[in-house]
Amino acid sequence: MIWVGLTVLAILAASALYASLPKAATHGVDLRRMAFAGLPVVAALGLYAIIGSPGLPSRPYADRSGERNLAAAAAVAGNATDPDFQTDQQIQRLLNQIVVSLEVNPRNLQGWVALARGSLRLGNIERAVAAFAQAYALSGHNPLLAIEYADTRITAQEGEIDTTSRDLILHALGQMPNHLLARYYYGMMLKQNEKPDQALRVLRDLYRDLPVDDPLANAAASEIKAIQSKSKAGINTE
C-alpha cells in the first residue's frame, strides 16, 4: 500500500512538473520535457528500491545494524572493492537526480523524504537533517516525520536532545502516544533533563511492551541500567 501511494504521488509530481516546464518550439510530444518531468518518479522509486521500505523502523538510527555511520561511509568513499560501493554510487546518482527535480519543484514532499533518507544512508547527515526539515514542514507537521526528523537530529548531535528535537518528540507523542520510538526518546529526554525517576518509569513501561529480542528493547534496557547505576553511585557518595 505504501508503494502504491508513493507511486501515485510521484506520478502526480511528475505531471505537475511536466506542465510547468517550457514547451518546445516544435509541435508534437516533447521528449525532453517528458524525460525531465519523469525524474521524481524514477529517482524516488529507484532510491526506495535500493535503501528499502520507507516505513520508519522502531529503533534509533544509532542502533540500526543496516545503517552505515559517518566513519564507515568515509572509509569506503574511495574503495571500489567495498561490497556497498556500487550501491552507494547508485544512490548518489539517484540523489543527484532528486536534487535537480527539487530545484524545479521544491514542494515535492516525497523528493525531500527520499533525499533525507538517501543522504543519511551515505553518511551526509547534515543534508539529511536539512531535507527532513523541509519534508516535515511540507507534510503539515506529520507526526511520523516528526519523530524521524528528531531521530536524525539527535543522531547528528551524538545523542543530545535539543529544543527542536524535544518539540518534535512531544508533538509526535501528542499524536501517537503509543509510538515506540517516540516513547524511547521521551525517556531519553527525561534522563537528560535530570529526571531519572520519570525516565525510569517511561523506559520500563516501554521495555515491557517490547519483545525481548527487539533492538529497541536492548537500547531501553541499557538506558535503564545506566540510570540505575548512576542513582546507586549518587547514593553511595552521600
Side-chain angles (χ1 to χ4, degrees):
M1 185 62 68
I2 292 176
W3 279 93
V4 173
L6 287 173
T7 303
V8 172
L9 286 172
I11 291 173
L12 289 175
S15 300
L17 184 57
Y18 178 82
S20 67
L21 293 173
K23 295 182 179 179
T26 58
H27 295 288
V29 178
D30 190 336
L31 296 179
R32 292 182 63 186
R33 287 176 72 207
M34 291 183 64
F36 191 79
L39 283 178
V41 179
V42 176
L45 295 182
L47 183 58
Y48 286 133
I50 292 174
I51 66 175
S53 170
L56 179 63
S58 62
R59 57 190 187 278
Y61 271 117
D63 293 337
R64 291 182 206 160
S65 59
E67 298 289 349
R68 304 250 306 284
N69 61 27
L70 297 179
V76 303
N79 184 6
T81 64
D82 185 272
D84 289 328
F85 184 69
Q86 289 298 322
T87 300
D88 290 351
Q89 286 186 324
Q90 293 170 2
I91 292 175
Q92 187 58 63
R93 284 195 293 269
L94 291 169
L95 290 181
N96 292 340
Q97 293 175 353
I98 290 174
V99 169
V100 171
S101 73
L102 288 172
E103 290 176 353
V104 178
N105 180 19
R107 297 192 63 79
N108 181 354
L109 171 59
Q110 293 304 324
W112 285 112
V113 174
L115 179 62
R117 290 171 176 158
S119 298
L120 191 63
R121 169 65 177 79
L122 294 182
N124 191 341
I125 198 162
E126 291 184 2
R127 184 166 71 173
V129 170
F132 270 128
Q134 292 285 348
Y136 178 62
L138 285 173
S139 73
H141 299 165
N142 180 285
L144 284 172
L145 277 177
I147 193 60
E148 193 167 4
Y149 176 25
D151 186 19
T152 309
R153 285 185 65 92
I154 294 167
T155 301
Q157 296 169 51
E158 300 182 349
E160 290 299 317
I161 300 176
D162 63 3
T163 302
T164 299
S165 298
R166 181 202 64 192
D167 292 343
L168 291 166
I169 293 165
L170 293 177
H171 172 65
L173 275 176
Q175 301 295 316
M176 307 177 300
N178 292 321
H179 191 281
L180 299 176
L181 191 56
R183 290 166 62 189
Y184 172 81
Y185 277 129
Y186 182 57
M188 295 300 297
M189 185 178 71
L190 291 170
K191 174 189 172 185
Q192 292 183 18
N193 289 340
E194 301 297 333
K195 298 179 179 178
D197 293 339
Q198 296 179 42
L200 276 176
R201 283 196 295 271
V202 170
L203 292 171
R204 282 170 174 164
D205 288 344
L206 173 63
Y207 185 77
R208 283 194 291 267
D209 291 343
L210 290 166
V212 176
D213 58 348
D214 189 286
L216 191 56
N218 294 333
S222 296
E223 294 301 332
I224 290 170
K225 291 179 181 178
I227 294 171
Q228 290 174 332
S229 297
K230 186 177 179 179
S231 296
K232 290 179 181 178
I235 292 173
N236 292 334
T237 58
E238 291 179 357

